[in-house]
Amino acid sequence: MVESRIQNGAPLKELIEALEVLEMRGDAAVTIRRIVSDSRSIQPGDLFVAVGGYQNDGHRFVDQAVSGGAAAVVVSREISEFSCSCPIVRVGNSRSALAWLNAAFWGYPSRFARLIGVTGTNGKTTLTYMLESILVSAGMLPGIVGTIQARFLDQRHALTHTTPEAGLLHE
């Protein structure tokens, strides 16, 4: 299923089943190729999720996302504020929706993984590398998301934030 979604996308109507939709305008049968919250990275077929940030509010960039090819938009403001021609979905909390949409798109990977969280002031990276070594020795396939990078098998992603966005985590 995940390979199919990567290659063919997923219908919006399937993805929004994971959400509490307050209002919907447009055709939910549209195919979604990726889910993004940064309008600058929009490609044709993407679902743009307008998230309120600490410095910028993604709702200000809905028009930019649509002109960049967004196939649909998820917002947490009244739909009447937006004049886009693509499908638009209103939810109570678009940041939460971003996580749930990515979970649905990627086939709910956390249902198939055991998660270990490491907190504290010092030593988290060292401890996660030690745990990784132990788990590999035990025949398991661990991944790490930390301050330096996110990695699993031969995939490596440099991180700009301590906790990556939902899309990268689910992928």
Side-chain angles (χ1 to χ4, degrees), residues 6-162:
I6 293 168
Q7 295 169 357
N8 304 321
L12 177 63
K13 64 183 171 194
E14 252 182 53
L15 298 176
I16 63 174
E17 288 175 5
L19 308 177
E20 183 178 330
V21 174
L22 302 177
E23 187 179 0
M24 166 84 196
R25 181 176 72 201
D27 183 7
V30 66
T31 299
I32 302 302
R33 305 249 181 247
R34 292 185 323 147
I35 302 167
V36 298
S37 59
D38 184 339
S39 61
R40 296 170 296 187
S41 66
I42 285 287
Q43 297 174 13
D46 288 352
L47 172 61
F48 176 66
V49 182
V51 176
Y54 296 107
Q55 295 179 3
N56 283 309
D57 184 346
H59 293 87
R60 292 179 38 220
F61 304 102
V62 168
D63 290 338
Q64 179 181 341
V66 172
S67 65
V73 176
V74 173
V75 298
S76 58
R77 292 189 181 169
E78 293 295 323
I79 286 180
S80 59
E81 292 182 35
F82 306 97
S83 61
C84 63
S85 58
C86 68
I88 187 164
V89 179
R90 184 170 67 94
V91 297
N93 181 324
S94 54
R95 182 168 301 282
S96 175
L98 178 64
W100 283 107
L101 288 163
N102 273 288
F105 186 85
W106 292 102
Y108 297 95
S110 63
R111 292 180 180 170
F112 307 101
R114 291 189 181 137
L115 303 176
I116 300 171
V118 178
T119 64
T121 305
N122 295 308
K124 294 180 294 296
T125 300
T126 301
L127 180 59
T128 57
Y129 288 0
M130 290 170 38
L131 285 171
E132 178 185 42
S133 178
I134 292 166
L135 295 171
V136 166
S137 294
M140 301 175 100
L141 300 172
I144 291 181
V145 177
T147 308
I148 299 169
Q149 67 180 338
R151 67 179 192 235
F152 179 68
L153 301 174
D154 62 347
Q155 299 174 41
R156 304 244 186 293
H157 298 278
L159 299 178
T160 57
H161 297 84
T162 303

